[in-house]
Structure formats: C-alpha cells, structure tokens
C-alpha cells in the first residue's frame, strides 16, 4: 500500500492518490465480502446447482456411499464406517450411517486420552524385565512350549501399510509367535483421531497377541502421551531406531537418531520410567563393530527389555545389494543381557534356522519375505521348495492363492483398508500378473469395484484358474514374465526413436565427410593453379 502510494505520488496530488487507493481498497473488500456472503448464503439455500426444487438433504443423500447390487454395504464401505469419526451433534450427516459396524469387534482408538475402560496388562511396579518379560508374553502356551518360545520366537516385523491386523493374524496361523504394529508417528497419532482409528486396531479376543506397538518419535513428551493411549491394547511399546528411509531423515526419527545418543537414551528412559508396559527398541548397526556393540549396551542400559537388531547399516537400504551382517548381531547378543531378536538375511525356513544357530539370538523378526510368503515360519513348511532357478518367495503352485484367499476371509471379520489389501495381493499372488496382463489391467482399471472383498475374491479365482491351466498344460508352477501390449508399444517407439537418432547421426557424419572432401578438392585445385 505504501509502495503504491509513493509511486502514484510522483504523478498525482496527495488527494487524488488517497482517493484512488481507498476506492481500490474498498472494491477489494466488497469483492471479498460478496464472495464470502455468496458462500454462506449458498450453504443455507435449499436450491442446488442444477436448480429446480431439489432440497439440501437430497443433495446430501447423494453423498452416501451406494450399496452393492444386493442392497448390502460393500466391504470397502464397512472399513470406511469403522474408521469414520461420527459426531452425533454435527449437522453434516454421515456418509456411512447405513452401515452397521456392531458385528466388528475391532477396538479402534478415537480419543487421545488414555482409556478408563481398558487397563494395561501390568503396572509400573509389576511389569516384567528381560527374559521374564518373554516368559510372561507366552504364559498361555503351556510349560514346555513357553520355555521353547523364550529361546526361539518368531515375530512379524513392523511394516507401514503391511503389518495390519488381518495380516498379523494370518502369519500367526502359520507359525508366527508375536507381531509388531506398523510404525506409528507419535505426533500425528496425538493430533488426528482419524489417524488413530486407521493405524491402530486390536481385537477383543486377542487373536494376534502378544503385540508390540511401534512408534517413531524425536520428542520424549509426545512419545509418552501417545504410548499411554495405546498401552492398554498391547503388550509393550517399541521405539523405531531403524528406519533408513528419506522420510525418516526429513522427520529426524528412526535410524537418523543414531547420531544423537543422548536423545535415544532419553526416549527409552521416558517410557521405561512412566509406562505400565515394558519398552523395547529396534536398531541398526554401524560400520564399526565396537561402536555397534556400545550402542546396543546404551539402549539396554536406558531400559529396553528386548532389542531387535537389523544387521545392515543406515546407508544399506537396498536389501538385494548388501548382505546382512550376522557377525555384528552375534556380537551384540553376546554383549547384552536382555533378549535379542535378529532381523535381515532370511528368505526361507532353512536360512532362518541357520541364522538362529549362527547368531545365538532369542528370536527372529521378518519383514519383506513375509509379504511374499506369510507361511515363512511354518514348521513343517507349508509349501515345497521353489523350482530350480526361481526366487524363494512368493509361493508356487496353488499355495499362494490358498494363502491370499484365507487373508481375504480374515479381512471380512476385521475390516482393512483397500490399499493395504491390494498391497498384499501384489505381494502374495501378484507375480502371476506379469504373465496375465489382461487381468492386471482389469484390476487397475476397476479399483473401486475390487475394493469389495467378494469381487476381489472372484478376480483371484479367475487368476487361479489361469495358473492351474498353465500347470496342467505346461507343467510349470511359476509365471513367466511377459511384456504387455503397452510395454511392446513403448519398446517399439523407443527402438524407432533410437533408429532415427542413429540415422540422423550417420547422415551428419556423411555430411561432414562430404564437406571435408569438397574442401580438400578445393585446396588441391588451388594448389594446381
């Protein structure tokens, strides 16, 4: 305003300047007022954009999610209804008020205040430590089995959008003893009720217990508040000091706290001294063995009752390129007195046994291999070894389809976000889509349709029939990666572009040669003259 006034003052009188600017300012205010008035008036009017006598409620009714052909809500609607924040006093009607969620007994946390109805398993004074903690986690298993699990337990690792409630139950049916929740951001957990309902659910019948809830954090106070809300629904709270992804670097959590030992110690101590359940930690190693051992000792001294160790450094994010360092895990196990779980370098049950024997750890937690083979921990193995030359996971034959359809059945009882279901679809049976592109295109083009579990199960059966046909005709238990028509077209365009570029380069070279020959002839002619 001052800048405009000073510029206009060079050419106009002060009176003219003030009148021009004030009128301009007034027009701007009137414009803002008229637009805001129109907005508020439009929300109170009974007319819709289409005109006519349609009412506001008719407009809102169209917002409601439609039921399927049989008149019942789809499974995608059921999940949305479970995580929806319903305000009984609000004027905005619920999109999913037609969905009855009472048959689904998942506990979904809505408040950021600790529950008065649900109590933690222990108190500050009675919570166990070290190996006694493991014993109490498996106290319902019977004497002999409990002692075995204290020495060798198998865990589903924390995986964002992957270690969901239904998947944890599936893995437990095939040999997993315990599991972690997906990593939960403590700050967002405290700020968003929708985030709380969507990213943490546990079941009243405790089908997937023991359960450790994992948080990422860099503020002890916020972490403690979030952990107090969740502690009645789990058997321990884990802190993530192992995530190496770029988002963890931006947020200053996970493996990027390895540069700040005092903060790591403070985070663990805050939970150990104030929670009613034990605190655990998941860490990575350094390039230096001695520093890795000292780091693990500090984590133990701060109060971690279980330490899960991933045998790669923070920079070694690509698992296929870097071998997991079992020697460092072994050294850490020998240096601390609390239970140690290994993580990394295991793709099948045989390698699992080799890891346990070599490192001497008290258990193992698996991440990526479980996404392709949720039966990794089953003994005897659920499926035979893969064909020669094929990767150890996903499963071959009909086994992968059996496992995924079982997962769908679990999701019917425990509503799961469609994006997570699709993720497990690609992990367990998605390798067959590399051969049958028409089914893959159908899935990608009709995501809303296949968000319903019944429709998705029917699609999986079609894929299963195709795979069975391959086994019967060709005797092949695995897919062969083929190029889709789109990929063929892209490759042809690429080849044409490369051919044109090569031709243009050759023509340019020939042109240069011709010009040089002409210059040489010209020089010879001048020399002859």
């Amino acid at each position: 305003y001052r800048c405009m006034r000073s510029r206009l003052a060079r050419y106009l009188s002060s009176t003219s300047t003030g009148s021009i600017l004030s009128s301009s300012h007034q027009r701007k205010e009137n414009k803002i007022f008229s637009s805001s008035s129109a907005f508020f008036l439009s929300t109170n009017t009974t007319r819709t954009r289409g005109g006519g006598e349609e009412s506001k409620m008719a407009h809102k009714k169209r917002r409601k999610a439609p039921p399927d052909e049989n008149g019942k809500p789809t499974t995608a609607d059921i999940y949305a209804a479970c995580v929806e924040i319903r305000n009984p006093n609000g004027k905005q009607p619920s999109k999913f008020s037609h969905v009855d969620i009472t048959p689904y007994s998942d506990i979904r946390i809505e408040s950021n205040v600790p529950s008065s109805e649900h109590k933690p398993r222990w108190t500050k004074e009675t919570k166990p430590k070290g190996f006694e903690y493991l014993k109490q986690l498996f106290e319902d298993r019977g004497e002999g089995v409990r002692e075995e699990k204290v020495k060798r337990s198998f865990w589903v690792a924390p995986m964002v959008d992957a270690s969901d409630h239904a998947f944890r139950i599936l893995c437990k049916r095939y040999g997993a003893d315990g599991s972690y929740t997906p990593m939960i951001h403590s700050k967002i957990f405290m700020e968003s009720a929708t985030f709380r309902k969507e990213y943490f659910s546990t079941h009243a019948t405790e089908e997937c217990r023991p359960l450790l809830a994992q948080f990422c954090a860099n503020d002890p106070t916020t972490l403690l508040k979030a952990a107090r809300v969740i502690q009645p629904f789990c058997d321990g709270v884990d802190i993530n000091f192992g995530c190496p992804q770029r988002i963890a670097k931006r947020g200053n959590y996970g493996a990027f706290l390895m540069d700040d030992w005092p903060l790591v110690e403070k985070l663990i101590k805050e939970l150990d001294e104030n929670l009613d359940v034990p605190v655990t930690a998941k860490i990575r190693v350094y390039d230096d063995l001695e520093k890795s051992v000292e780091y693990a000792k500090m984590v133990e001294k701060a109060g971690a009752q279980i330490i899960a160790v991933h045998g790669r450094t923070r920079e070694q994010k690509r698992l296929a390129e870097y071998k997991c360092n079992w020697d460092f895990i072994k050294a850490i196990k020998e240096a601390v007195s609390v239970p140690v779980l290994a993580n990394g370098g295991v793709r099948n049950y045989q390698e699992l046994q080799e890891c346990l024997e070599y490192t001497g750890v008290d258990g193992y937690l698996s991440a990526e291999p479980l996404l392709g083979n949720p039966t990794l921990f089953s003994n005897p193995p659920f499926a035979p070894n893969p064909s020669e030359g094929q990767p150890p996971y996903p499963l071959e034959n009909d086994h992968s389809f059996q496992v995924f359809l079982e997962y769908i059945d679990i999701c019917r009882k425990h509503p799961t976000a469609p994006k997570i279901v699709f993720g497990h679809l690609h992990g367990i049976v998605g390798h067959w889509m590399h051969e049958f592109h028409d089914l893959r295109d159908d899935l990608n083009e009709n995501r809303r349709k296949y968000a319903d579990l019944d429709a998705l199960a029917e699609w999986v059966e079609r894929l299963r029939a195709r795979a069975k046909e391959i086994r019967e005709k060709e005797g092949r238990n695995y897919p062969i990666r083929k190029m889709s028509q789109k990929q063929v077209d892209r490759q042809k365009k690429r080849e044409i572009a490369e051919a044109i570029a090569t031709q243009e380069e050759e023509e340019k070279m020939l042109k240069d040669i011709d010009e040089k020959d002409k210059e040489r002839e010209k020089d010879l002619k001048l020399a002859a003259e």
Side-chain angles (χ1 to χ4, degrees):
Y1 184 91
R2 290 174 182 172
C3 182
M4 290 175 64
R5 188 181 184 91
S6 62
R7 287 183 179 181
L8 288 171
R10 298 176 187 176
Y11 309 102
L12 303 172
S13 64
S14 58
T15 307
S16 301
T17 304
S19 61
I20 290 171
L21 289 176
S22 61
S23 61
S24 173
H25 188 64
Q26 184 66 37
R27 284 196 302 271
K28 187 174 181 181
E29 285 185 346
N30 291 340
K31 185 177 181 181
I32 295 172
F33 175 76
S34 62
S35 62
S36 59
S37 300
F39 171 75
F40 286 113
L41 288 172
S42 65
T43 57
N44 293 326
T45 184
T46 59
R47 286 185 174 270
T48 60
R49 182 178 293 181
E53 298 300 324
E54 284 186 306
S55 67
K56 175 184 171 185
M57 288 308 297
H59 172 64
K60 288 188 174 181
K61 283 180 181 177
R62 289 200 300 272
R63 294 171 54 88
K64 184 184 291 186
D68 66 3
E69 297 176 354
N70 299 322
K72 65 177 183 178
T74 65
T75 48
D77 291 346
I78 292 171
Y79 171 75
C82 286
V83 300
E84 184 185 36
I85 305 301
R86 300 192 178 190
N87 182 6
N89 299 321
K91 295 181 180 179
Q92 183 75 1
S94 168
K95 295 181 185 179
F96 303 99
S97 57
H98 62 296
V99 179
D100 180 17
I101 61 174
T102 53
Y104 308 101
S105 51
D106 280 4
I107 298 169
R108 296 186 180 270
I109 300 175
E110 187 168 337
S111 172
N112 61 0
V113 178
S115 170
S116 58
E117 179 183 356
H118 300 89
K119 299 297 181 183
R121 184 170 178 176
W122 301 283
T123 64
K124 292 179 189 177
E125 295 75 22
T126 62
K127 63 181 178 182
K129 297 182 179 295
F131 284 94
E132 181 59 31
Y133 175 37
L134 272 184
K135 285 183 180 179
Q136 294 195 27
L137 286 180
F138 301 114
E139 63 185 359
D140 61 333
R141 302 294 182 88
E143 190 67 31
V145 177
R146 182 172 68 248
E147 295 300 323
E148 179 186 347
K149 295 304 176 185
V150 170
K151 297 176 182 177
R152 294 286 188 273
S153 56
F154 304 140
W155 295 74
V156 180
M159 295 174 281
V160 175
D161 288 342
S163 58
D164 54 284
H165 189 197
F167 187 74
R168 299 194 300 262
I169 294 174
L170 177 68
C171 293
K172 190 171 182 182
R173 291 181 181 180
Y174 289 98
D177 299 305
S179 53
Y180 290 68
T181 68
M183 183 187 72
I184 304 170
H185 195 293
S186 59
K187 187 173 185 291
I188 302 175
F189 183 84
M190 292 303 295
E191 293 175 350
S192 171
T194 304
F195 182 89
R196 286 191 293 274
K197 291 190 74 174
E198 186 167 359
Y199 279 85
F200 183 84
S201 68
T202 187
H203 197 265
T205 58
E206 305 188 356
E207 288 183 74
C208 62
R209 308 288 283 267
L211 176 67
L212 303 183
Q214 188 188 71
F215 283 99
C216 67
N218 54 28
D219 177 56
T221 304
T222 304
L223 175 61
L224 178 60
K225 289 179 180 178
R228 278 178 168 160
V229 173
I230 219 168
Q231 67 176 355
F233 310 102
C234 63
D235 304 293
V237 173
D238 183 80
I239 308 177
N240 185 326
F241 298 118
C243 180
Q245 303 303 324
R246 190 180 305 170
I247 190 172
K249 184 176 183 179
R250 290 201 301 266
N252 189 33
Y253 60 81
F256 296 93
L257 296 181
M258 294 171 71
D259 300 327
D260 191 348
W261 286 26
L263 178 56
V264 170
E265 184 177 16
K266 191 173 181 180
L267 288 167
I268 299 173
K269 273 189 174 181
E270 187 74 12
L271 297 193
D272 182 53
E273 294 174 356
N274 297 288
L275 283 187
D276 295 325
V277 296
V279 58
T280 66
K282 186 175 185 292
I283 65 173
R284 281 186 173 242
V285 297
Y286 295 87
D287 289 319
D288 180 64
L289 174 60
E290 184 177 348
K291 188 175 183 180
S292 300
V293 171
E294 289 302 315
Y295 181 57
K297 285 183 176 179
M298 181 273 292
V299 169
E300 177 192 17
K301 186 177 179 181
Q305 304 307 319
I306 296 176
I307 302 176
V309 185
H310 187 98
R312 294 183 179 91
T313 66
R314 183 173 65 194
E315 293 70 29
Q316 296 172 338
K317 292 185 283 188
R318 297 184 178 178
L319 307 185
E321 295 182 9
Y322 302 99
K323 187 177 180 181
C324 186
N325 196 330
W326 289 354
D327 291 317
F328 278 40
I329 298 176
K330 181 179 181 181
I332 290 173
K333 167 60 186 170
E334 294 171 351
V336 300
S337 58
V338 296
V340 174
L341 307 178
N343 178 223
V346 167
R347 300 171 299 170
N348 53 45
Y349 194 81
Q350 181 180 350
E351 292 178 349
L352 173 64
Q353 296 302 315
E354 292 172 0
C355 175
L356 295 174
E357 292 299 324
Y358 185 84
T359 60
V361 293
D362 308 292
Y364 185 88
L365 68 156
S366 178
E368 184 179 319
L370 275 179
L371 298 179
N373 178 15
T375 69
L376 174 68
F377 295 135
S378 60
N379 185 28
F382 173 73
N385 293 329
S387 305
E388 186 176 353
Q390 296 301 310
Y393 57 87
L395 297 172
E396 291 185 358
N397 294 325
D398 195 55
H399 299 97
S400 58
F401 297 101
Q402 294 178 31
V403 171
F404 186 72
L405 289 171
E406 184 174 355
Y407 172 72
I408 287 182
D409 287 337
I410 298 172
C411 289
R412 287 191 174 98
K413 185 178 180 183
H414 306 282
T416 306
K419 65 177 181 179
I420 296 177
V421 178
F422 283 128
H424 289 302
L425 168 70
H426 284 277
I428 300 173
V429 300
H431 55 303
W432 283 102
M433 286 190 277
H434 295 308
E435 183 165 350
F436 305 119
H437 301 123
D438 57 329
L439 290 177
R440 182 185 64 187
D441 293 341
D442 178 36
L443 179 71
N444 292 335
E445 292 169 4
N446 299 282
R447 302 282 281 193
R448 293 178 66 88
K449 171 185 174 182
Y450 293 118
D452 182 63
L453 295 181
D454 294 332
L456 185 62
E458 185 272 332
W459 182 92
V460 172
E461 289 292 357
R462 281 193 285 149
L463 183 64
R464 186 182 195 179
R466 293 277 194 92
K468 182 180 179 181
E469 187 177 350
I470 291 293
R471 287 198 306 273
E472 293 175 349
K473 288 185 177 180
E474 304 179 22
R476 175 160 50 89
N477 298 323
Y478 52 87
I480 295 178
R481 184 181 290 267
K482 297 179 180 178
M483 295 181 67
S484 66
Q485 189 59 46
K486 292 181 181 179
Q487 292 172 327
V488 171
D489 294 341
R490 281 199 297 266
Q491 184 173 355
K492 284 182 179 179
K493 289 180 181 179
R494 196 181 306 116
E495 291 174 353
I496 292 172
E498 290 174 356
I500 292 172
T502 303
Q503 185 177 353
E504 290 175 350
E505 187 176 350
E506 290 176 353
E507 290 175 354
K508 185 180 179 182
M509 291 174 63
L510 291 172
K511 187 176 180 180
D512 292 341
I513 292 171
D514 290 340
E515 290 177 357
K516 289 180 180 179
D517 288 342
K518 288 179 181 179
E519 290 179 1
R520 191 179 298 111
E521 289 176 4
K522 188 176 180 180
D523 292 341
L524 290 173
K525 188 176 180 180
L526 289 172
E529 291 177 354

